[in-house]
Amino acid sequence: MSIAAQHLEMVSLLEARGIRDQRVLDAMGSIRREQFLAEQDREAAYSDGPVGIGFGQTISQPYMTALMCQELDLHGHEIVLDIGSGSGYHAAVLASLARLVYSVEIIPELAAMARENLRAAGFAGRVKVICADGSKGHPEGMPYDAISVAAAAPDVPAALIDQLYDPGRLVIPVGTREDQSLRVIRKVGGKIESHVSTMCRFVPLVGEHGWRN
Ligand code: SAH
């Protein structure tokens, strides 16, 4: 199957699994995921699972990217914080759905790769990649209408709740190193509401408010 046909099939599968936000489907249908992978991994670009991006890290399964973006309920005016840039793919999807994305990555080589991938895909003006410990959020860009965390935390870092606008939404995998639930947290009228969207398995969030070592 050609890579273009595989791309179309990925979007059909997202729809079949319950992704209903047309803007998310359109964004993922238009961004070429292979542009965010190394040459030798490009044939796996549309496979239904995580793909290695080096340094023991992975680009999430397409369904997980879609679900997280759908849960954030973006309409186009938002300022978004993305933690765990990795390849930059998730940041590109967020940038297609919102106004501006701050994307924080702790591994310098991956931050450089994300920046380059986003530039090559035409997102340089809409995504600022920062190399830092995102478990502390990114105070310089706050408050955020939405925050997306692509690495699993032992608890929800308080800094992220503090940096969220009211109203605002945060999606984050929380649990053990092996098993987590994807939590959707809403700040509204000064109150915090939270529910579990699905079970999941992400690489660990390291850093001050993540897993130590
Ligand atoms: N969203 C990415 C994949 C994320 S994989 C994509 O679309 O490709 C998770 C990423 O989180 C890894 O790159 C890892 O280095 C990063 N990470 C882990 N702990 C972090 C922290 N405290 N701050 C910022 N990034 C972190």
Side-chain angles (χ1 to χ4, degrees):
M1 207 194 291
S2 72
I3 198 131
Q6 291 176 44
H7 192 168
L8 282 174
E9 194 177 74
M10 178 194 81
V11 178
S12 306
L13 195 59
L14 295 175
E15 269 188 286
R17 289 203 182 144
I19 301 300
R20 300 264 172 271
D21 185 332
Q22 193 57 46
R23 297 182 73 239
V24 172
L25 294 169
D26 290 347
M28 292 185 66
S30 68
I31 298 168
R32 290 171 57 211
R33 207 163 183 267
E34 67 273 22
Q35 288 192 329
F36 293 82
L37 292 172
E39 201 74 45
Q40 71 272 14
D41 297 321
R42 291 194 170 174
E43 62 187 37
Y46 298 104
S47 70
D48 184 25
V51 182
I53 53 173
F55 303 90
Q57 309 300 324
T58 55
I59 180 172
S60 308
Q61 181 195 26
Y63 173 70
M64 201 47 74
T65 297
L67 182 64
M68 291 171 79
C69 292
Q70 175 167 275
E71 294 287 14
L72 291 175
D73 192 29
L74 300 167
H75 294 275
H77 61 274
E78 297 88 354
I79 298 185
V80 183
L81 176 62
D82 170 50
I83 298 172
S85 317
S87 67
Y89 175 73
H90 191 95
V93 178
L94 289 169
S96 306
L97 300 168
R99 180 154 62 92
L100 180 66
V101 178
Y102 290 88
S103 184
V104 183
E105 170 58 52
I106 202 164
I107 299 177
E109 292 86 346
L110 289 180
M113 182 175 88
R115 202 174 283 126
E116 173 52 26
N117 287 345
L118 285 158
R119 189 201 57 74
F123 289 97
R126 310 266 300 280
V127 184
K128 295 184 194 301
V129 178
I130 300 113
C131 184
D133 174 8
S135 76
K136 300 190 277 191
H138 180 61
E140 291 81 353
M142 69 176 277
Y144 300 102
D145 302 290
I147 302 179
S148 173
V149 184
D155 288 299
V156 181
L160 300 186
I161 307 266
D162 292 345
Q163 292 174 27
L164 198 58
Y165 190 64
D166 184 346
R169 287 180 191 240
L170 159 67
V171 284
I172 179 167
V174 177
T176 65
R177 277 173 178 270
E178 287 75 34
D179 297 292
Q180 306 106 29
S181 48
L182 185 69
R183 294 235 202 124
V184 181
I185 295 162
R186 288 178 65 212
K187 190 190 262 190
V188 58
K191 296 208 178 75
I192 304 295
E193 298 167 358
S194 163
H195 73 268
V196 170
S197 172
T198 187
M199 299 311 286
C200 54
R201 188 174 186 158
F202 280 78
V203 297
L205 182 78
V206 297
E208 194 171 319
H209 300 292
W211 295 97
R212 300 292 173 91
N213 82 58

